[in-house]
Amino acid sequence: MPVDLTRSRVLQQRAERYFPGGVNSPARAFRAVGGDPPFVERAEGAYLWDADGNRYIDYFGSWGPMILGHAFPPAVEAIREPAQLSPSFGASTASEADLAELVVRAFPSIDKLRFVSSGTEATMSAIRLARAYTDRKLVAKFEGCYHGHSDGLLVKAGSGVATLGIPGSAGVPEDIAHLTLALPYNDAMAVEAAFDAHRHEIACVIVEPVVGNAGCIPAAAGYLEALREITNREGALLIFDEVMTGFRVALGGAQELYGITPDLTTLGKILGGGLPCAAFGGRADIMDLLAPLGPVYQAGTLSGNPLAMAAGLATLQYLTEHRGEVYPLLESLSESLVSGVGAEAARAGVSITSNRVGAMFTWFFTAGAVTDYDSAAKSDTAAFARFHRAMLESGVWLPCSQFEAAFLSAAHTPADIQQTIEAAGSAFRAIAENR
Ligand SMILES: *Cc1c(COP(=O)(O)O)cnc(C)c1O
């Protein structure tokens, strides 16, 4: 039975008057799955409630940050005091180093860091730093990886760019796009070939060490090691964009999980506990090129904002102290959800491929293995759209694109997972019977 979204539709009409497409970020629109999104009123733990009072089990978690569930009480409590002391000073506070200490402890590859307000700023700044450090111009990235919306990084990007099926973005001059080499993911030979073709020209390789923004695509065995080996040999920097994977696939991100030490790391999402906060950091000799010490300019009026620091601190403190319980819990809940939904698909005769790393996963509507953007793009996006709609009508809110990873939080319960598996079962049967 379709859910009643009357109030959401009224709010949507108003939003469309003010915002292109009615949204402030394109991934929030339901273009790729048809229909229009519910407007959210509040959230708690694993649940979202919309403006019409419908409840949903949330599997996108604000696109990653909500690893401990919505309105996590210590984070909500932590922002009360700094809000009263004034939300921003534009001057240094103790809280910045408090949060930095936890970041550096979780990420031994980071000697020094700088806080910014979005993942886009973090990756953009890391690349500027890499170009300055190496005195080289080119950047190698991978098809389907998304590193924010700065000009040079939109080339063959994932996330909304992939969802909307556009090769890059209008408004990016060719002169800038030409400085980005887009290579297939999980193909170390393609990286070797790029360095052969552009000897001493590639400043850095930037990678999502587990792709989330083309749907979830794990790095193949030995791939990240190969990137480390090649960049070391060629004098280029290796940047792990862990805006999504940091504190998600392990406390210390994919670099902890796979034991690779990048030169620079970008973080965001979970780092701010739901407030706007991101960071880039790494080797001190590279980071010390930043102004005011060095010649690389980078700045932010609200960088290190006290509310963001407080929410991040509450989140990372909990994750650090409870890592021994939280990550195994996320692993086992995600395992039972992903395999349970996979079994329902098999029973209904719908071909899907499940990819998962920890509490980050995607059900691709394709029978073949998904190892890069091209294999992800073989998915039946019309079937995904039907699945998404049916799940929403059963009170389960999945990411509204085949090319976005889903997330589970520590607030999800076995009952939530059982309900989700049952909803998926009826959705798959409807797809199989073409109802
Ligand atoms: C979300 C994301 C970004 C961009 O972060 P914003 O805060 O949306 O600018 C960059 N890189 C990765 C891997 C991401 O998942």
Side-chain angles (χ1 to χ4, degrees):
M1 200 182 63
V3 280
D4 179 9
L5 295 174
T6 311
R7 176 99 189 111
S8 280
R9 293 294 64 83
V10 171
L11 295 174
Q12 167 118 3
Q13 276 169 12
R14 184 168 65 131
E16 282 173 358
R17 268 218 323 269
Y18 298 111
F19 313 119
V23 291
N24 282 299
S25 192
R28 294 174 198 170
F30 273 26
R31 295 279 157 124
V33 289
D36 290 303
F39 273 57
V40 175
E41 208 160 75
R42 69 188 179 94
E44 199 182 318
Y47 311 119
L48 293 170
W49 281 267
D50 72 15
D52 292 280
N54 303 301
R55 192 194 84 164
Y56 307 91
I57 306 175
D58 174 11
Y59 289 105
F60 66 108
S62 187
W63 302 98
M66 296 305 179
I67 192 167
L68 294 171
H70 287 281
F72 177 59
V76 172
E77 193 48 46
I79 58 180
R80 264 188 238 283
E81 198 194 341
Q84 281 159 358
L85 297 176
S86 186
S88 180
F89 312 114
S92 295
T93 64
S95 62
E96 292 153 72
D98 291 342
L99 184 58
E101 257 174 39
L102 290 183
V103 172
V104 167
R105 209 192 297 166
F107 286 80
S109 73
I110 299 180
D111 301 324
K112 290 190 175 181
L113 65 151
R114 181 158 281 175
F115 287 118
V116 290
S117 299
S118 71
T120 294
E121 282 178 84
T123 54
M124 183 181 82
S125 309
I127 279 172
R128 184 176 302 149
L129 205 45
R131 283 179 163 142
Y133 184 82
T134 58
D135 194 23
R136 298 176 181 183
K137 278 189 196 160
L138 300 182
V139 170
K141 76 175 284 286
F142 300 98
E143 294 164 3
C145 285
Y146 178 72
H147 305 292
H149 65 91
S150 71
D151 283 352
L153 291 173
L154 283 176
V155 178
K156 301 243 173 116
S159 190
V161 181
T163 301
L164 300 171
I166 50 182
S169 169
V172 176
E174 251 178 55
D175 295 357
I176 289 176
H178 278 155
L179 298 176
T180 304
L181 308 173
L183 309 174
Y185 191 76
N186 268 335
D187 180 353
M189 290 314 292
V191 180
E192 294 279 14
F195 276 100
D196 279 345
H198 303 279
R199 191 114 282 138
H200 308 304
E201 289 182 278
I202 301 176
C204 61
V205 172
I206 183 166
V207 65
E208 285 184 69
V210 173
V211 182
N213 287 291
C216 177
I217 306 177
Y223 177 63
L224 298 172
E225 286 83 350
L227 295 184
R228 180 65 284 181
E229 196 269 314
I230 297 167
T231 46
N232 272 343
R233 179 193 348 120
E234 300 291 337
L237 298 187
L238 179 61
I239 304 175
F240 269 15
D241 181 357
E242 301 231 41
V243 169
M244 187 183 286
T245 52
F247 316 105
R248 163 68 55 186
V249 298
L251 183 69
Q255 53 196 272
E256 174 191 314
L257 193 63
Y258 300 110
I260 312 283
T261 305
D263 300 298
L264 293 173
T265 298
T266 55
L267 296 168
K269 297 195 167 114
I270 292 171
L271 176 64
L275 271 85
C277 178
F280 62 103
R283 279 165 42 196
D285 62 320
I286 306 171
M287 292 303 291
D288 282 346
L289 286 180
L290 278 180
L293 283 187
V296 179
Y297 197 71
Q298 185 284 330
T301 302
L302 294 177
S303 294
N305 173 267
L307 297 191
M309 296 297 104
L313 197 60
T315 303
L316 294 202
Q317 253 162 1
Y318 189 91
L319 289 174
T320 304
E321 281 163 26
H322 300 270
R323 62 188 302 181
E325 303 113 69
V326 171
Y327 291 96
L329 173 70
L330 289 170
E331 172 66 25
S332 75
L333 288 173
S334 305
E335 206 301 303
S336 54
L337 173 67
V338 171
S339 64
V341 168
E344 291 295 334
R347 197 166 303 142
V350 174
S351 290
I352 64 164
T353 292
S354 305
N355 278 3
R356 180 180 75 82
V357 177
M360 188 175 151
F361 49 88
T362 299
W363 296 293
F364 289 101
F365 281 71
T366 174
V370 175
T371 57
D372 57 11
Y373 180 68
D374 284 348
S375 46
K378 291 200 177 104
S379 301
D380 180 348
T381 51
F384 174 82
R386 297 194 58 181
F387 181 64
H388 184 274
R389 263 196 310 277
M391 293 299 274
L392 197 74
E393 283 172 11
S394 308
V396 176
W397 191 333
L398 298 171
C400 50
S401 165
Q402 176 72 96
F403 308 113
E404 300 280 4
F407 304 107
L408 190 136
S409 80
H412 286 77
T413 64
D416 295 329
I417 285 162
Q418 197 47 43
Q419 187 187 329
T420 307
I421 292 170
E422 282 162 23
S426 28
F428 287 133
R429 284 191 293 280
I431 291 169
E433 291 159 21
N434 201 26
R435 272 191 268 127

